[in-house]
Amino acid sequence: MKTPKLLILIIIQCICVLGFSQSPKELKTRADSILNQLQYPSKSKVLAVSHRGAWNYAPENSLLAVKRCIDLGIDIVEIDVRLTKDSQLVLMHDKTIDRTTNGTGKVSDYTLEELKTFRLKNACGVRGSRQQVPTLEEVMTLSKDKIMINLDKVEGETVKEAYAVLKKTGTVKQAIFKGRENVATMMKKYGDIMNAIIYMPIVIDNVDDPSQYVQDYNNILKPLAYEVTFDSVNSKKFELIKTLNNQNITVLTIPLWDDLTAGHTDELALIEGPDAAWGWLINNGANAIMTDSPDQLLSYLRAKGLHD
C-alpha cells in the first residue's frame, strides 16, 4: 500500500516541530553568532567594535567598561593586556600604571596582588574609582558566550600565556589575537598555537608589500579578518580592502585618528555627521569598525539596518 502524499507532508512537519530543523539562533550563543558573522561577512551587517571598552562610561580596560559593551550590544570589545611580575595577565594599555590608576611604575614591576591595591581612574583622570585592575581571566569569565574580545598588546609577546587563560575559561573561540609580524615569524614563535587561535594580522606601516603579506597569511593560516589602516585613498593598503572583500574576508577599520583611515574618523562623524566617516568606511568595504563612540556607532548602524 502506498503512503499518501498528504501523510508524508504531515510527517515532515512533525519532524520539524520536534526540533530536527531548529534555527541557527536557537543553537548558538551570541558569541557564536558574532564569530559566524566574522567568518562570513555580509554587506548587510557591520560589526561594532569598542576601543578599550566603553571608556566614556567607565574606566578604560575595566570590568565595567566591558560589561557596558555587553549591555549595549557591541559585538567585539578591544582590550589591552600586559604581564605582571608574577606572570599574570592584566588589562592595561600602557607599560606603566601612572595614567590609568592612582599608582606609579611599570606593570611588570608589580605582582597581581600588589596591582589589586590600586584603583582605576575614569576618562577624565579622576582618582576616585572603586574599580581594580582586572585580570584577563576575569574579563573572559564575564564575557563568556556574550561577546568577542579583541586582544591588543599580546601581539608577539604573550600569546602562550593568553592562550592558557582562554583554555582555562573555555573561551578560545571568543578571542581575536592580532599582530604586525609576518606569518613566518609568528609560526616560528608559536607553531601549532597559531592554528588553534583566531588570529587577525594588522596591515599598518610595518607592511611594505600588503598584497604579499596577505597572500602569505592566506596560504598558511587563512585568517578570518584583517585590521587594515591607510593614511590615503591612494595607498596600497587602501586598495587591499577590495581584494579582501572579493575573497570574503572581514576588514576591520579603526577610525581613531586621521592616519588610520585617511581622515574618516570618529571625530569627523561628530563634526560632519556619521555618513562622512563610518558611512564612508562601510561604502569602501569595511565589515567592522572600531570606535571610541560605541553608543553612537550602534545607533547609526541600527538606523541604517546594518545591526540588530
Side-chain angles (χ1 to χ4, degrees):
M1 179 179 176
K2 294 183 178 180
T3 305
K5 291 183 179 180
L6 179 59
L7 180 56
I8 293 174
L9 289 174
I10 293 173
I11 292 172
I12 292 173
Q13 290 175 349
C14 289
I15 290 173
C16 292
V17 171
L18 288 171
F20 291 95
S21 181
Q22 295 181 41
S23 68
K25 289 185 179 179
E26 292 172 331
L27 297 172
K28 293 182 177 181
T29 65
R30 183 167 186 272
D32 288 333
S33 298
I34 297 167
L35 177 57
N36 187 69
Q37 187 177 334
L38 187 73
Q39 188 172 5
Y40 303 105
S42 167
K43 291 183 179 180
S44 63
K45 296 290 181 181
V46 175
L47 291 164
V49 186
S50 186
H51 183 229
R52 303 184 198 173
W55 59 262
N56 291 314
Y57 174 84
E60 70 176 57
N61 284 310
S62 66
L63 287 178
L64 273 184
V66 174
K67 186 178 185 301
R68 175 63 172 172
C69 290
I70 294 170
D71 293 342
L72 284 172
I74 289 290
D75 302 298
I76 304 170
V77 55
E78 185 256 15
I79 61 173
D80 304 284
V81 183
R82 300 280 183 185
L83 201 63
T84 67
K85 184 178 181 179
D86 54 342
S87 299
Q88 300 297 309
L89 286 174
V90 296
L91 272 61
M92 186 69 57
H93 178 273
D94 305 346
K95 290 184 178 180
T96 69
I97 64 173
D98 300 45
R99 180 179 63 86
T100 55
T101 78
N102 61 351
T104 60
K106 295 180 179 178
V107 177
S108 58
D109 287 340
Y110 289 100
T111 65
L112 176 59
E113 183 178 3
E114 291 168 339
L115 278 177
K116 286 290 188 180
T117 64
F118 301 116
R119 292 297 178 267
L120 294 170
K121 298 177 186 177
N122 67 16
C124 296
V126 176
R127 305 183 181 198
S129 167
R130 298 181 182 182
Q131 296 172 73
Q132 299 172 308
V133 177
T135 64
L136 178 59
E137 182 174 343
E138 288 172 332
V139 168
M140 297 315 298
T141 299
L142 170 67
S143 305
K144 190 167 184 177
D145 297 333
K146 302 169 186 172
I147 198 169
M148 289 197 72
I149 303 294
N150 181 338
L151 299 172
D152 200 7
K153 301 296 179 289
V154 173
E155 306 206 354
E157 298 178 12
T158 54
V159 172
K160 291 180 181 177
E161 292 86 349
Y163 180 56
V165 171
L166 300 178
K167 287 178 66 178
K168 180 180 179 181
T169 54
T171 55
V172 173
K173 294 305 179 183
Q174 274 184 247
I176 303 168
F177 290 76
K178 64 181 181 181
R180 306 178 179 208
E181 296 181 285
N182 61 48
V183 67
T185 299
M186 292 303 291
M187 292 302 294
K188 183 177 179 180
K189 278 186 176 182
Y190 300 110
D192 289 342
I193 290 180
M194 295 301 295
N195 292 310
I197 62 177
I198 300 169
Y199 189 77
M200 178 175 64
I202 302 174
V203 184
I204 197 166
D205 51 16
N206 60 303
V207 181
D208 295 325
D209 187 345
S211 294
Q212 189 62 53
Y213 178 83
V214 167
Q215 183 178 327
D216 291 343
Y217 262 105
N218 287 350
N219 288 341
I220 296 174
L221 285 180
K222 295 180 175 56
L224 303 183
Y226 285 84
E227 182 178 299
V228 181
T229 68
F230 50 94
D231 56 7
S232 165
V233 295
N234 297 316
S235 73
K236 292 181 180 179
K237 290 178 290 183
F238 179 72
E239 294 173 1
L240 182 65
I241 295 176
K242 289 184 179 178
T243 301
L244 294 171
N245 289 159
N246 291 335
Q247 295 173 341
N248 207 34
I249 298 173
T250 292
V251 174
L252 169 64
T253 56
I254 46 176
L256 305 180
W257 57 86
D258 287 351
D259 288 349
L260 299 179
T261 51
H264 300 275
T265 61
D266 286 344
E267 182 183 43
L268 187 67
L270 295 174
I271 296 172
E272 296 187 13
D275 283 336
W278 303 326
W280 185 91
L281 291 170
I282 294 165
N283 290 336
N284 283 278
N287 310 111
I289 296 175
M290 183 189 296
T291 181
D292 280 325
S293 304
D295 304 63
Q296 293 91 330
L297 175 60
L298 271 179
S299 294
Y300 174 74
L301 294 178
R302 286 167 176 163
K304 293 290 185 179
L306 296 171
H307 202 282
D308 296 333

